[in-house]
Amino acid sequence: MKRTTQVLFSVLIGVAGSVQAAPRRSNPIVSHRFTADASAHVWNDGRLYVYPSSDTSPPSSYRTMDGYHVFSTDDMITWVDHGEILHSRDVEWGTKRGGSMWAPDCAYKNGTYYFVFPHKNVEGIWELGVATSKSPASDFKLQGTIKGGNTFCDPCIFIDHDGQAYLYAVVKAKCYAAKLKDNMMEIEGEMVHQQGVDEHREGPFVFKRKGTYYMIYPDHHKGFNEMQYSMSDSPLGPWEPKGVFVEHTDVITMHGSIVEYKGQWYLFYHNGSLSGGHATNRSICFDRVFFNEDGTLQMVKQTLGVKLPTFHQDINYNRMFGTLDIGTYTTADLEKYGIQNDAISSLELPSGTMVECFEEDNGKGKSWRFEESFIDLGKLGCDNTFSSIKVSRNPNVNLVPNGSFEKGVEQTIANWRFARRGLRGISRNLGSADHGYYALCFEGNWAMLPVTQTVAVESDATYKVSVSLKIDPDSIGQIVFSAGEHSFELDAAEKAGEWVRFSETFNSGKQNSISISCSTSKDFKGTCCWDGVAMIEQK
Ligand code: FUB
């Protein structure tokens, strides 16, 4: 076995880690608690807010759901948990058993945020509670219940462009709607059954685009509900059913919302990916929504979230201008996407993408090509110099699934194994969001059991393997990363407190798989982290 003790093969980039609350570049977007029934809204402060319900852990039942938290973002990557805004214990008209805080919604009218939540009253009958605040994610004060909302569940409030508010809610799997009075606490007239909302089960959400109203809702698809939608030219229907646009996930319920943010449309929904498919331990996700020419919805592809290059104003990947999809962009195009071409300081490239930047417009003049994950343009001496940009698929795809250690099922990291016991569970070593997103981190006064995965490779092909390693000051010993016979070690005595990127090119010979592994030296004491593991075929 070839040991490359304490040798730095090629230091590409040392990135000072900067942590914001829960940065996630992939689904689900919240991993520190279970969340469901995501209702997303963009408010006047320019942020996108999500108002989900909270599932309790360990999985119990829908009855125990409690404690609403609000989440927000301004880049679809960094999610802030604003904390709990309401708990059943605060609701004096509510059931004495607590819990039963189901899918809520939030609306903004005349300077006030109205948080509307379904909760059972002391007699065990559903009511639509209202709490108001001058802020979108804090200081909500209970105001009572919506008059006319008794027995209804799963509220959705839609405010039309003329300021009129509408309430949609569910009883016995049917969707009803009515205008809300200006006080937002009373229904005007009666809740009316909505025609043409076929196969509706629960969780309606209404939005408007180009003068057309859309209602999305979970259906009765056996086993696991799917999401259907209907369209109308009036907020109170009649609706024209359009069928399924989101396939089921791994949990029975399918409740969500659609919102436009920074020129792109997103569906918020939930699945059971963090809990291994527990019906009552769900996690909220989002994915892009695309419309056909005639306004109908295309099927939504459930993915790992936004995986596009991001362009930043600073070198710490915090102040983001925006993302760019595959395509070519002139200075004017970039401006349209909110990216100031002469002020880009850093970019981050998800695996599989490649960015070319040009000094002149239309792909002319001096150019730079980037393929690595984190690019500090200042270090390369080419910050603030671009006029046009081309984003393309990188033929050099990272062969290491989950090279940035995002969580899989709760307490595990997808695709990585705890070698000695052959278990998937690696809770002791579960990393924090240190290197921009997740990293695998170990803290202890002993050698860490190797965390490994096997990567399929072609025989007799050339690969470049890379990893970022960090060891904290005051640690003793070495952090180790190995790929087959090749190994990188960083010694606490040599470099501490900063990320160091290692890489090496090798030929696979007769092998058709390579085992990669994260571990420490036997005498290790302290804290160390691994991140950005990549193995890329060199063609
Ligand atoms: O989350 C509890 C209930 O399950 C919601 O209110 C329904 O829409 C379904 O998701």
Side-chain angles (χ1 to χ4, degrees), residues 139-365:
D139 307 321
F140 279 93
K141 303 268 174 316
L142 286 158
Q143 303 295 341
T145 60
I146 293 185
K147 213 166 151 194
N150 178 262
T151 72
F152 285 95
C153 195
D154 283 5
C156 160
I157 312 277
F158 166 70
I159 306 219
D160 210 343
H161 291 150
D162 60 2
Q164 175 64 54
Y166 296 84
L167 169 71
Y168 304 80
V170 180
V171 91
K172 293 195 178 131
K174 296 221 166 351
C175 179
Y176 294 77
K179 282 184 178 173
L180 268 178
K181 287 190 182 168
D182 259 0
N183 63 13
M184 301 286 277
M185 297 293 296
E186 279 175 83
I187 279 154
E188 213 174 281
E190 289 205 333
M191 292 289 275
V192 176
H193 178 225
Q194 295 301 285
Q195 301 298 318
V197 187
D198 286 7
E199 296 176 54
H200 172 277
R201 179 175 188 238
E202 57 187 2
F205 180 87
V206 172
F207 68 95
K208 189 178 183 181
R209 178 182 176 267
K210 295 187 176 173
T212 297
Y213 300 85
Y214 294 75
M215 186 191 292
I216 64 170
Y217 47 88
D219 66 9
H220 290 276
H221 188 264
K222 212 166 162 230
F224 301 96
N225 301 162
E226 297 182 318
M227 183 86 91
Q228 301 208 16
Y229 75 110
S230 295
M231 291 165 71
S232 176
D233 52 16
S234 150
L236 293 175
W239 301 86
E240 195 182 323
K242 295 290 178 186
V244 174
F245 77 106
V246 193
E247 281 172 1
H248 67 79
T249 67
D250 55 350
V251 292
I252 176 172
T253 59
M254 163 61 88
H255 185 153
S257 52
I258 287 185
V259 71
E260 184 186 16
Y261 188 50
K262 297 191 176 173
Q264 289 171 0
W265 288 84
Y266 298 99
L267 166 80
F268 284 80
Y269 60 103
H270 58 234
N271 63 26
S273 59
L274 282 190
S275 68
H278 276 290
T280 55
N281 266 182
R282 298 163 289 177
S283 297
I284 56 175
C285 302
F286 72 86
D287 271 303
R288 294 279 298 277
V289 167
F290 296 96
F291 294 86
N292 295 313
E293 286 278 299
D294 62 359
T296 52
L297 286 167
Q298 296 180 9
M299 286 299 289
V300 171
K301 202 169 145 216
Q302 294 175 36
T303 70
L304 289 175
V306 171
K307 288 229 163 210
L308 300 174
T310 56
F311 296 79
H312 305 262
Q313 302 169 37
D314 64 335
I315 56 156
N316 290 326
Y317 314 97
N318 281 339
R319 284 173 27 233
M320 188 172 99
F321 279 128
T323 60
L324 287 181
D325 215 332
I326 307 301
T328 47
Y329 303 85
T330 61
T331 305
D333 295 331
L334 293 172
E335 213 169 284
K336 218 166 62 197
Y337 284 91
I339 297 175
Q340 215 182 313
N341 67 300
D342 57 359
I344 307 171
S345 292
S346 65
L347 48 141
E348 197 219 326
L349 302 181
S351 151
T353 57
M354 186 163 88
V355 165
E356 284 166 273
C357 297
F358 303 88
E359 211 169 30
E360 292 168 32
D361 238 339
N362 298 311
K364 295 201 182 113

Side-chain angles (χ1 to χ4, degrees), residues 10-16 317 347 372-376 379-380 435 467-468 498-502:
S10 71
V11 180
L12 297 176
I13 311 153
V15 180
Y317 314 97
L347 48 141
E372 297 292 340
S373 343
F374 297 93
I375 318 289
D376 176 346
K379 277 201 175 152
L380 300 172
H435 190 192
V467 65
S468 293
E498 60 182 90
W499 285 98
V500 180
R501 189 141 180 96
F502 296 84

Side-chain angles (χ1 to χ4, degrees), residues 1 17 62 64 117 124 165 182 198 237 255 316 361 379 382 412-413 433 498 517 519 539:
M1 168 151 170
Y62 298 110
T64 56
F117 59 100
D182 259 0
D198 286 7
H255 185 153
N316 290 326
D361 238 339
K379 277 201 175 152
C382 57
T412 72
I413 296 176
E498 60 182 90
S517 145
S519 59
K539 290 184 179 137

Side-chain angles (χ1 to χ4, degrees), residues 387-498:
S387 293
S388 59
I389 288 177
K390 181 177 173 195
V391 180
S392 47
R393 294 246 168 268
N394 190 343
N396 306 323
V397 173
N398 185 3
L399 300 170
V400 180
N402 196 10
S404 55
F405 302 99
E406 297 188 44
K407 284 185 198 177
V409 181
E410 198 192 16
Q411 303 298 340
T412 72
I413 296 176
N415 297 101
W416 293 87
R417 299 174 81 85
F418 202 160
R420 194 185 294 168
R421 292 191 215 127
L423 292 176
R424 281 183 63 90
I426 46 175
S427 53
R428 268 200 303 153
N429 307 304
L430 193 55
S432 61
D434 195 11
H435 190 192
Y437 300 99
Y438 280 90
L440 174 70
C441 294
F442 173 73
E443 188 183 349
N445 291 338
W446 57 84
M448 186 184 89
L449 293 177
V451 172
T452 67
Q453 75 165 277
T454 303
V455 180
V457 292
E458 300 287 327
S459 55
D460 197 24
T462 306
Y463 293 92
K464 182 165 135 189
V465 61
S466 325
V467 65
S468 293
L469 304 177
K470 189 176 76 146
I471 197 158
D472 279 7
D474 300 328
S475 302
I476 295 168
Q478 292 102 38
I479 174 172
V480 182
F481 175 82
S482 57
E485 328 177 310
H486 308 277
S487 180
F488 308 121
E489 290 185 13
L490 182 64
D491 195 312
E494 185 197 7
K495 195 160 227 161
E498 60 182 90

